[in-house]
Amino acid sequence: MSNKEVKAALKSARDAIRNKEYKEALKHCKAVLKQEKNNYNAWVFIGLAAAELEQPDQAQSAYRKAAELEPGQLLAWQGLANLYEKSNQTDVKENLFNVYQKLLELYESTDKQKWCDVCRKLVELYHQEKKYLEVAHTWHKLIKIKQEEGADNAELHQLWKRLIQLLPDSTQNQDNETQQLLLTALEHAVNSADTVPSEDHEKLYKNFIQCLSKFPHETARLKKACDDMMVLYPTMSYPLEVLCLHFIQSGDFTEEALHCCCRLMEMDSSSSPGLIGLGIKFLQEKKYEEAVKSLTEGKHTSQCQAAWYYLAEAQMKMHKYKEAVISCNRALKISGQFDDDSGNLQQKYTALHLKAEALIKIAGADAAEEAISTLEQVSDINNDPVLLALKGQAYLNKGLIDQASKVAQQLVLSHPHLAEAHALEGLIHYTQKNYQQAERSFQRAIERKAETAEYHHYLGLTYWFMGEEIRKDKTKALTQFLKAAKLDSYMGSIFCYLGHYYRDVAGDKSRARGCYKKAFELDRTDGEAGAAAVDLSVELGDTETALAILTAVTERASAGTAKWAWLRRGLYYLRASQHSQAVADLQAALRADPKDSNCWESLGEAYLSRGGYTTALKSFTKASELNPESIYSIYKAASIEQILGKYKDAIAEYQQILKKSKEYVPALKGLGECYLMMARAALADYLDGKVLDYVEQALEYFTRATKHRPDVSCLWKLLGDACTIVHVISSSKVNVKVLGSLLGQNEGKQMLKKSELLSLGGRCYGRALKLMSSPNTWCDLGINYYRQAQHLTAADSDTNEISELLEKSLQCLKKAVRLDSKNHLYWNALGVVACCSGVGNYALAQHSFIKSVQAEQINVVAWTNLGVLYLATENIQQAHEAFKVAQSLEPSYLMCWIGQALIAEAVGSYETMDLFRHTTELSMHTEGAKGYAHWVCSTLQDKTNRETELYRYNIVQMNAIPAAHVVLSKYTERIQNDASAFTMLGYLNEYLQLKKQATDAYQRAVSLLKNSEDKEKYNISMQNYGRSLCAIGQYDKAIQAYMSTPLTELDGIVGVALAYFKKGLLQDSIKAYERALSLAKSEQDKAYILTALAIMEYKQNKVDAAKTLLFKCSILKEPTIESLQALCTLGLAKQDATLATAALKELLKHTKSKDNVYERCLITSAVYALQGRNVGVQRQASKAVHSNPDDPALWALLSQLVPLYTPQNAKGGAVAGNVAHILDLNHGKKALLHTAVNQLAVGCHSAEDEKNNALKDIQKAVHLFPDDPATWAVLMGACHAENTVVYLRDTQPKRRDLEMTLVATVSAKTKEKDLSAEYIQALEDWSLCQAITGLKETGRITEAEALCTKGLKSCPSHPELFLLLRQVQCKQLFQSHKELPDAILEELHKTVMSNSTSVTAWHWLAKVYQSQRMMVAAEMCYRKSLQLASQQGSWNGKLSSLLRLAMLALEICMANISNDHWPSLVQEATTEALKLSFCPLAVLLQALLQYNRKMGARETRRMLERVVYQPGYPETIVSVARWYLLRHLYAKDDYELIDALVANAKANGDTRSLELDKKLSASA
């Protein structure tokens, strides 16, 4: 290709590029290159086209080739620049630097504008890569070019400003040249500004000065710049602030620096640099408080390292070590932001030194560890002996004495003139209590540094704790403390020890307080100094100062601190009776130290003072737990428990004190008071025996207390109280043991009677009065004399002695009144004594009661006593008014109500009984108790008022008999010489069926009246006694009692006749009754006597005579219910239905609906039973229950009758028994037995209901009636039933080997009880048969046979036992499954025939035939049993026979014997069974018959599902149905129903069905 063609091709390439046909251009260029490989333009065009076609690598290669060919040409370099500028790759930037530099060379001489553009691009690229030196140099070249071109000042100013922006602030991290270039740029920018002053110029100046401040070597320029700026901007504080900071950080705070700071503070008083500089000035002047204040204010807005260091130094001077550590840490933190140049490193080491020193002063192992760690950060520590000494101190604080000693020895050897080395040595000796060596070491340290206060302080401490001589004379210590205080007035511990000296040695409390106060002001954490200052202020009477200190401390204290202040302020408030504030402060003290027992004690006192007994008790208890040796805490806890009425707990606490200190009188006194208070409480409850026990204990402890402190008056008074309290107790009961020392004896105890004890009480009151005359004690002594007089009066003693005692009593009470005439109690006591029968001074009594009322307006006792006075003088109206006032004052006060009751009784009011009853409801009092009992007994004796509303309300609704019985029992316990009270008590006991108690009461009445002149009362009491003896079976004594009376009255003769009858002396009884009959006047009495005579005739087997007598009764005008009942009973006893029915009919005519309901129901039911109307028996009982649902006896009777006559309703019988048990415990106990029998009849067992079953109920009955043989027999039956269920479920029985034990128990219990021979025989026979059956069924054949044989020996003609013997003997034959010979079968048949009326015997014979495959014979036996059961009316027998017959037929059907007779027999028998009652087993048998007939039929599934899923079927039956249903479903492949059935089996625990399911599913 020629040149022309080359040019043409290049032209075509250029045109193609213009037309954006880059590929075409590449073709042309490649054609050119084939001809001319080094064609510059072709390579440039290729680079351009490739770049446009996004082929950067090809473009770069092309441009580079072109640049190599002609380096002086611009096109290739421009192309490379454009290519690199567009590229995002990081590795092209270095190439771009070179390209820009080449372009600058090429443009420099040709095109200045383009040179400037490329220069700007290069600077931006350098800036991006943080090549700040290249940025500065290149920009300086740009500025130079602009200057050469003659650029104006404004353009140059902008260029300098741009350079400032391009160079970073952190120039101290750049090289020195860059720093200088930045400073030059700033200086030129400042100088080239057009508008001066201006905001922009001001900002530039600030930047210039700030930049200069970062370079220590530019101090001169900085000062000049600041001065120049201040000239331009005189109100601007910034230059001064920078200059001040420069001086502060340089560490050279000269007069110039101070002048600068002063000027700054004049301009801005809150300027941080100014405040810091001011603080440094104060520090230099040793004005440490001002220094800390200024530095603290200045440091908040400053990041000046030096400021924090100076602050730490000032804090160290003031001994604020913790704050100093914080300041040092801040200084070190700021230091870490700078490079470790020599200046910064030195500042850092200085801060570390200061921090370590502060940590050592803090003391403690943790602080010492941190100090060691801090010192190790100093690289040349080993070259600094002062730092080594500090390290030694840190070791010492940490407890590493050996290491500290090693450091000290090395320092003393290497630096003998170093004071710190000797001080360290002294500290080690001081710590080891080697005070002599410590003294020498500290003296050497002082010789080298005499101005160090710390050395003088430690030398003073050494003298303070040195040997005995120095310890006594503290002047050396004082001298050193004073020197230390002079050298360092901020060291609080010095002043604390000065305070110790002035307080403990010099005795100057005022000066001591000043020192303590100074120490505390210097160190607010010094609790010892603060506490001492407060304590001394209180001692000096300056409580305001003390409270001010405490308040100041507590206001600043955080939670859990300043315990000493909280405690003292709490105690201050406690003394000032500001209890709530005291509690709050003491609680705060405890938050600081929860284990301080003293704080807990103080808190307890605070709670106690404001009446918080429970919280106080908790506090004292906690104090005693923390300090078990503190007797005071235990004592206070006990005294609070005593106040709260927890006497037993208080006694235990007091006893605990006495174990530690036997002679602690407060505890002895507290014990005595507790027992005395318990005696008073027991006295109120009429527990006189307990009262005497408590009084004996109280006397013992009070006596022990008086042994140790006979000078304490209150102990003697308490002794008098304990002796006098027994005044109300019967004299026969009072026998109290008293320590001999109280009676003037040396040892042992002496028994005192009531009179002696009361006399002793008077002497004790006298002793108390000798020690301290008190109106209260005079009053007590007067009352004691009055009680003595009362006792002598009751004992019919000498009247002169009684009069003398009453006179003494009056004089004592008058003395009490004279001493304190405003005390209403004294006046009241005087009035009581004045109006007693021995004094009879009613005028004085009235005057005294009126004075008592005047002294205390709300005085219910005085008003009541005034009413009694008026009542005694027969002023009824005035008495009523006085009692009414008393009632209005306090409606619950008992005595005024008794007074009103007595008034009502006197005037014959119908409200008398209500009033007496109200008194017994309020509280117990002898007068109210006897009054109420009298009215109850009087009402009961009046037989004519039984139907009145008044009787029903007063006696029945108000539960009068038990209430009167309770209060009268307490009355007779207290007053044991009142025969009428004992007679009434016996009468009430008889009503409550408390026969033994009635006998005892009547016997007491007889013994009291034995020597009485009133023989009529004695005879009546003796007859009462005889009646009660007869009731408890003591017939001989009863006859004797009756015979000791004249027996002229009907009641006495009838009573002795009954006693003769009970004794079995029928002839004597008949004679007595005949005599009574001759004396009887009313027909009712005659009827009763004739009935009794008829009973005795019956006893003699003279039935006709008995019947004749009873008929005589029935033809009377008013026949008695009892005679008709006896006639009906006679008919029942002789099985004479006609007589019984007729008598019953007559009886029902004469009885009212509500009278004798139980007896009428019982007799009617018995007649129905005699008539064979079994259902009628149950219906009669049910009717009675419906009419009287609240009568537990009827419910119990219903429960008893159901299993006997209608066992099909046994479930209802069990419910009736439960109702009886709920309604009344007495009937309920017996009802439990009937409930268990009903549950056995209905088949209720523990497998169905664990809580409600026969076994549970009979176990309860056995616990309640262990002497009843019937309960043990039923228990045997319940255990047998449970074992039967266990066998059905194929599990192990829980109750084994009980048969023999229970039989023996039943036999033993029947001998203990007085039961009829027929009942005993029947019970024992049943138990024996049941035991044999149990043994037989458990496989214990030998034992069963032996038991049968034993029974037959005692009763050879017992067919049931003989049958059982044969059953036992045949048991093993049946188990062998061998065919029995005909002879044996014949023998067994004969055995059954001998007991042919037994349904179970025919059942057993049927089982024998069944085992021999004699099915027809078995069927005939079952039919025979069914016939017998029907004849006997035995529901159980019929149901059992039908079911057994059905099962026999079903068994034959299951054997697939084709005979229509057996399926029809199953259907017939089960249908009849279901007619009797709902029978789950019958339903199951019908379902199984259907299964046998058509296993896959839908009806089969329906019948089996009915048994499985419907409620009411026992699990034993459901399990069988489930088993067959599962087989049916698998035959039908109905897996959905199978799953449901399996889930049901799992829910009910049917393992047998689950095992079948596994087998069937496996085979399927």
Side-chain angles (χ1 to χ4, degrees), residues 1026-1044:
R1027 184 178 66 252
S1028 63
L1029 285 169
C1030 189
I1032 63 172
Q1034 296 185 16
Y1035 307 121
D1036 290 331
K1037 288 185 178 180
I1039 293 167
Q1040 187 179 352
Y1042 278 119
M1043 296 306 291
S1044 66

Side-chain angles (χ1 to χ4, degrees), residues 67-226:
E68 287 174 5
L69 292 172
E70 293 188 29
Q73 291 291 331
L74 280 168
L75 287 174
W77 294 107
Q78 287 173 342
L80 275 173
N82 290 333
L83 181 65
Y84 288 150
E85 284 171 0
K86 291 177 181 178
S87 175
N88 292 324
Q89 297 177 7
T90 55
D91 56 348
V92 302
K93 288 188 178 180
E94 194 62 40
N95 296 329
L96 190 56
F97 285 133
N98 298 330
V99 172
Y100 281 152
Q101 286 169 0
K102 186 66 178 178
L103 286 172
L104 286 176
E105 290 177 11
L106 295 173
Y107 283 134
E108 189 173 7
S109 57
T110 58
D111 191 340
K112 295 292 184 181
Q113 184 59 42
K114 286 188 177 181
W115 185 90
C116 290
D117 294 339
V118 172
C119 184
R120 290 178 188 277
K121 289 182 179 181
L122 182 59
V123 167
E124 288 296 330
L125 190 62
Y126 280 141
H127 189 263
Q128 287 175 13
E129 294 299 306
K130 297 182 180 180
K131 296 183 176 182
Y132 298 117
L133 182 59
E134 288 81 356
V135 168
H137 279 303
T138 307
W139 201 261
H140 269 279
K141 286 181 183 178
L142 175 62
I143 292 171
K144 187 177 179 183
I145 293 295
K146 288 291 184 180
Q147 285 174 342
E148 290 174 357
E149 288 180 352
D152 58 5
N153 197 46
E155 185 179 356
L156 292 174
H157 178 71
Q158 293 301 322
L159 288 171
W160 288 115
K161 281 178 68 177
R162 178 59 185 156
L163 179 58
I164 294 165
Q165 292 171 1
L166 289 169
L167 294 177
D169 249 356
S170 55
T171 48
Q172 67 270 28
N173 296 327
Q174 305 299 331
D175 55 82
N176 189 50
E177 189 177 354
T178 307
Q179 295 172 6
Q180 290 302 322
L181 289 170
L182 175 60
L183 287 173
T184 303
L186 285 165
E187 191 172 13
H188 280 293
V190 168
N191 294 332
S192 62
D194 290 337
T195 309
V196 178
S198 67
E199 187 177 342
D200 183 55
H201 182 258
E202 180 187 331
K203 187 176 179 182
L204 281 171
Y205 232 131
K206 280 185 178 180
N207 290 341
F208 179 44
I209 290 172
Q210 185 180 8
C211 193
L212 282 171
S213 68
K214 294 175 182 176
F215 306 124
H217 57 276
E218 296 289 352
T219 304
R221 288 178 71 184
L222 176 65
K223 289 180 181 178
K224 183 178 181 304
C226 289

Side-chain angles (χ1 to χ4, degrees), residues 977-1028:
N977 57 357
D978 190 340
S980 61
F982 281 107
T983 301
M984 287 190 289
L985 181 60
Y987 186 65
L988 293 171
N989 278 323
E990 283 186 290
Y991 258 93
L992 294 170
Q993 297 298 311
L994 301 171
K995 298 174 183 178
K996 181 69 173 67
Q997 290 86 335
T999 305
D1000 293 340
Y1002 286 135
Q1003 186 180 16
R1004 290 295 300 278
V1006 166
S1007 62
L1008 288 169
L1009 292 168
K1010 190 173 184 180
N1011 299 320
S1012 171
E1013 295 178 359
D1014 192 343
K1015 292 300 178 182
E1016 184 180 353
K1017 284 185 179 179
Y1018 173 74
N1019 290 335
I1020 293 170
S1021 295
M1022 187 58 79
Q1023 287 180 7
N1024 289 335
Y1025 181 46
R1027 184 178 66 252
S1028 63

Side-chain angles (χ1 to χ4, degrees), residues 970-1267:
K970 292 183 177 180
Y971 176 92
T972 53
E973 184 71 20
R974 177 67 52 82
I975 299 173
Q976 298 187 339
N977 57 357
D978 190 340
S980 61
F982 281 107
T983 301
M984 287 190 289
L985 181 60
Y987 186 65
L988 293 171
N989 278 323
E990 283 186 290
Y991 258 93
L992 294 170
Q993 297 298 311
L994 301 171
K995 298 174 183 178
K996 181 69 173 67
Q997 290 86 335
T999 305
D1000 293 340
Y1002 286 135
Q1003 186 180 16
R1004 290 295 300 278
V1006 166
S1007 62
L1008 288 169
L1009 292 168
K1010 190 173 184 180
N1011 299 320
S1012 171
E1013 295 178 359
D1014 192 343
K1015 292 300 178 182
E1016 184 180 353
K1017 284 185 179 179
Y1018 173 74
N1019 290 335
I1020 293 170
S1021 295
M1022 187 58 79
Q1023 287 180 7
N1024 289 335
Y1025 181 46
R1027 184 178 66 252
S1028 63
L1029 285 169
C1030 189
I1032 63 172
Q1034 296 185 16
Y1035 307 121
D1036 290 331
K1037 288 185 178 180
I1039 293 167
Q1040 187 179 352
Y1042 278 119
M1043 296 306 291
S1044 66
T1045 64
L1047 290 178
T1048 56
E1049 297 293 330
L1050 179 64
D1051 290 342
I1053 298 169
V1054 170
V1056 76
L1058 180 62
Y1060 280 135
F1061 172 73
K1062 294 284 188 181
K1063 178 65 178 173
L1065 304 172
L1066 298 182
Q1067 295 305 318
D1068 293 334
S1069 180
I1070 290 170
K1071 289 177 183 177
Y1073 274 125
E1074 287 175 346
R1075 184 183 170 194
L1077 187 61
S1078 65
L1079 293 174
K1081 295 178 181 178
S1082 69
E1083 287 199 352
Q1084 191 175 28
D1085 288 342
K1086 290 178 182 178
Y1088 285 137
I1089 296 168
L1090 286 171
T1091 304
L1093 285 167
I1095 291 170
M1096 280 183 283
E1097 293 292 347
Y1098 177 76
K1099 281 281 185 180
Q1100 299 178 77
N1101 292 320
K1102 297 178 182 179
V1103 178
D1104 292 334
K1107 198 182 296 185
T1108 303
L1109 288 169
L1110 290 172
F1111 276 131
K1112 277 185 182 181
C1113 294
S1114 63
I1115 62 173
L1116 292 172
K1117 290 181 181 178
E1118 293 182 8
T1120 60
I1121 301 299
E1122 289 79 2
S1123 62
L1124 292 172
Q1125 285 177 346
L1127 186 58
C1128 187
T1129 307
L1130 181 62
L1132 290 168
K1134 291 300 175 181
Q1135 300 289 302
D1136 188 345
T1138 305
L1139 176 60
T1141 305
L1144 176 63
K1145 190 174 181 181
E1146 193 67 24
L1147 176 64
L1148 293 176
K1149 284 181 185 177
H1150 289 84
T1151 55
K1152 296 178 182 177
S1153 59
K1154 293 292 181 182
D1155 288 345
N1156 304 315
V1157 177
Y1158 177 78
E1159 290 82 357
R1160 188 171 71 249
C1161 178
L1162 183 61
I1163 291 173
T1164 307
S1165 299
V1167 172
Y1168 286 164
L1170 181 62
Q1171 294 169 352
R1173 296 164 60 187
N1174 289 358
V1175 176
V1177 172
Q1178 185 230 303
R1179 285 179 179 170
Q1180 179 60 32
S1182 298
K1183 280 171 67 179
V1185 163
H1186 280 292
S1187 301
N1188 303 275
D1190 58 341
D1191 190 339
L1194 291 173
W1195 285 100
L1197 177 63
L1198 177 61
S1199 178
Q1200 186 178 3
L1201 293 175
V1202 165
L1204 286 171
Y1205 297 102
T1206 54
Q1208 65 270 29
N1209 297 326
K1211 196 169 185 180
V1215 171
N1218 285 328
V1219 173
H1221 182 66
I1222 292 166
L1223 286 175
D1224 182 62
L1225 191 59
N1226 289 324
H1227 289 95
K1229 289 177 182 177
K1230 203 69 178 175
L1232 281 172
L1233 174 65
H1234 307 319
T1235 302
V1237 172
N1238 280 284
Q1239 286 173 330
L1240 280 174
V1242 85
C1244 185
H1245 51 80
S1246 59
E1248 288 185 354
D1249 191 340
E1250 288 186 5
K1251 294 182 179 178
N1252 187 19
N1253 56 70
L1255 184 62
K1256 286 280 183 187
D1257 285 329
I1258 197 59
Q1259 283 173 334
K1260 291 178 188 174
V1262 167
H1263 280 293
L1264 292 169
F1265 291 101
D1267 295 331

Side-chain angles (χ1 to χ4, degrees), residues 538-612:
V538 172
E539 284 184 39
L540 294 170
D542 189 1
T543 54
E544 290 183 6
T545 301
L547 186 60
I549 295 171
L550 294 172
T551 303
V553 173
T554 52
E555 283 176 353
R556 288 195 302 270
S558 57
T561 60
K563 168 195 154 185
W564 66 271
W566 291 112
L567 176 60
R568 280 166 173 76
R569 196 171 76 161
L571 293 173
Y572 167 81
Y573 285 136
L574 185 58
R575 286 192 294 270
S577 298
Q578 298 179 30
H579 309 306
S580 298
Q581 290 167 299
V583 167
D585 284 1
L586 291 167
Q587 285 175 337
L590 280 170
R591 279 192 285 273
D593 184 5
K595 293 186 177 180
D596 187 343
S597 61
N598 293 327
C599 277
W600 282 107
E601 280 184 5
S602 303
L603 182 60
E605 294 287 0
Y607 281 132
L608 189 60
S609 60
R610 73 174 188 182

Side-chain angles (χ1 to χ4, degrees), residues 450-467:
E451 300 301 314
T452 305
E454 186 182 8
Y455 299 160
H456 290 285
H457 177 220
Y458 274 111
L459 182 57
L461 288 175
T462 304
Y463 288 137
W464 187 266
F465 296 109
M466 202 178 267

